[in-house]
Amino acid sequence: MKYIRSLKYSAPGIAAAVFAIVLVAAVVYSHRFSPTQPSHLASAIVHSLHGPGFFVVAILIYIATGILKVGGNRYIIAAVLSMGIAVIAEGAQIPGPRDAEVKDLVVDFVGIVAGLGLIAFFDRDVRRKLGMRKWAVFGTTVSVFLAVALLPTVWLAYAWFAQLRAAPELLTFEERWERAMIINIDGQRPERLPIPDEWPVLGDHVASTQASGRYGTLVRFMPFPDWSSFSRICFAAAAQTPVPANVVLSVRDMRIDGERRGGRGTWRLELDSSPTRYCVPLKSIAASAPERPLNMARVESVQLSMADRKQAATILLDDFRLE
């Protein structure tokens, strides 16, 4: 009975230790052994858990210091121990394919401050020492830290669910959540414009994309990964050039063990100046990969580029979808 009572009181401390060990183990496994990648948005959600994860770690360690009756300032002890775990978790990435990043430690710190700040906000002793006016300012500051720590994960999770619900639509340039899967090219994103006359698909907006003449990329995005039940990819386009524009549609799948990057299949198209809807068979793209056929159940990215990357051009794009 005495053992059970002791275990009950030490449960928060055990939970904090287990959470910290699992966190470090997950980082070591993910970065040292480099398992097969999940989808882009799923990876982004996991990466964004730095803030929420250490928000929870800090709270658990604070609770554990109270249960174990640790002497000293519990907030400082919890903060120091939490940052120590953060440094260990980040340092564990060094042996793997990724480097430790200072910005991740900053996000960890924000999560720790948010967690301990939330506890302090409801702490009567803290409220009494600060007074109502300073306590209100303190609450506002904690709210800012909470937003910075938690909102990115909430936003990415929403985008992930919205992406799955939108299937077979890949990219329509109509929804704000689509920004989460568009990759900046040369520091720029596609510009949304009102849909022009005689456009071949329905909607309110198209994207005006530019190839700078340096990289040649018009748009690159990370779609939902499972294309196995579809036969072709389609999109609408119009070249804002005096002559037809030659472009390359590229699809890359997720890497498998032993690969530095996934396979890449391509298909060349000629875009006319008049708005037209183009469709490309997925089998043709998959078979064009030089090393191995693409795995259309694990697609990583889609990219549309100028065939001559040194050619500058502006192209109107819309409604990437699977059929």
Side-chain angles (χ1 to χ4, degrees):
M1 194 69 179
K2 183 178 180 181
Y3 173 77
I4 295 176
R5 189 181 297 111
S6 175
L7 183 63
K8 175 183 176 182
Y9 287 130
S10 62
I14 294 173
V18 170
F19 189 92
I21 291 170
V22 170
L23 179 66
V24 173
V27 170
V28 172
Y29 178 76
S30 298
H31 299 293
R32 184 176 179 84
F33 299 102
S34 188
T36 303
Q37 294 173 306
S39 69
H40 170 71
L41 277 180
S43 297
I45 291 170
V46 172
H47 191 74
S48 74
L49 290 175
H50 277 271
F54 281 92
F55 170 85
V56 174
V57 167
I59 291 175
L60 288 175
I61 292 178
Y62 177 85
I63 294 173
T65 59
I67 297 298
L68 299 176
K69 297 181 179 180
V70 176
N73 189 311
R74 293 168 59 196
Y75 291 105
I76 294 177
I77 293 171
V80 171
L81 290 177
S82 299
M83 272 313 293
I85 294 171
V87 171
I88 293 172
E90 201 63 28
Q93 299 182 25
I94 296 175
R98 289 185 54 196
D99 295 328
E101 298 183 23
V102 174
K103 67 177 183 180
D104 287 344
L105 287 175
V106 172
V107 176
D108 297 342
F109 174 77
V110 170
I112 292 167
V113 172
L116 296 178
L118 185 63
I119 294 176
F121 180 74
F122 293 102
D123 189 326
R124 292 180 180 179
D125 292 335
V126 172
R127 187 192 311 180
R128 186 170 56 253
K129 289 178 181 179
L130 291 178
M132 289 303 298
R133 182 175 297 179
K134 291 183 179 179
W135 181 72
V137 173
F138 177 73
T140 302
T141 305
V142 170
S143 298
V144 172
F145 275 88
L146 280 169
V148 173
L150 305 181
L151 285 184
T153 301
V154 174
W155 167 247
L156 288 170
Y158 169 75
W160 183 64
F161 281 110
Q163 184 186 63
L164 296 179
R165 288 184 59 189
E169 292 179 349
L170 299 177
L171 184 62
T172 64
F173 303 102
E174 300 288 346
E175 306 292 342
R176 292 190 179 276
W177 62 262
E178 292 179 333
R179 298 178 183 179
M181 64 179 184
I182 298 176
I183 307 301
N184 285 354
I185 302 298
D186 201 16
Q188 297 182 348
R189 287 177 180 264
E191 179 185 3
R192 287 205 314 173
L193 299 176
I195 197 166
D197 295 334
E198 300 181 359
W199 196 250
V201 296
L202 298 176
D204 297 320
H205 299 92
V206 299
S208 174
T209 61
Q210 295 183 345
S212 64
R214 182 181 180 187
Y215 298 110
T217 304
L218 294 161
V219 66
R220 184 181 178 214
F221 62 94
M222 306 300 194
F224 72 92
D226 190 358
W227 294 15
S228 57
S229 59
F230 301 95
S231 61
R232 61 181 187 171
I233 179 173
C234 300
F235 64 96
Q240 305 291 286
T241 54
V243 295
N246 293 312
V247 300
V248 177
L249 178 67
S250 305
V251 176
R252 187 181 292 278
D253 68 2
M254 299 178 193
R255 70 175 185 265
I256 58 177
D257 291 341
E259 291 184 333
R260 188 178 66 87
R261 301 190 67 182
R264 177 174 174 266
T266 61
W267 193 261
R268 294 175 67 101
L269 302 101
E270 186 178 86
L271 304 184
D272 196 65
S273 58
S274 60
T276 307
R277 190 166 184 264
Y278 301 88
C279 292
V280 181
L282 294 181
K283 286 185 178 180
S284 300
I285 297 176
S288 69
E291 301 296 333
R292 57 172 175 80
L294 298 187
N295 182 355
M296 286 300 177
R298 294 186 58 78
V299 172
E300 180 191 61
S301 66
V302 178
Q303 181 170 305
L304 192 69
S305 308
M306 299 299 295
D308 179 4
R309 69 177 185 177
K310 294 183 180 180
Q311 178 185 356
T314 300
I315 308 291
L316 298 182
L317 294 173
D318 192 17
D319 198 44
F320 284 84
R321 67 172 58 236
L322 297 172
E323 295 181 349

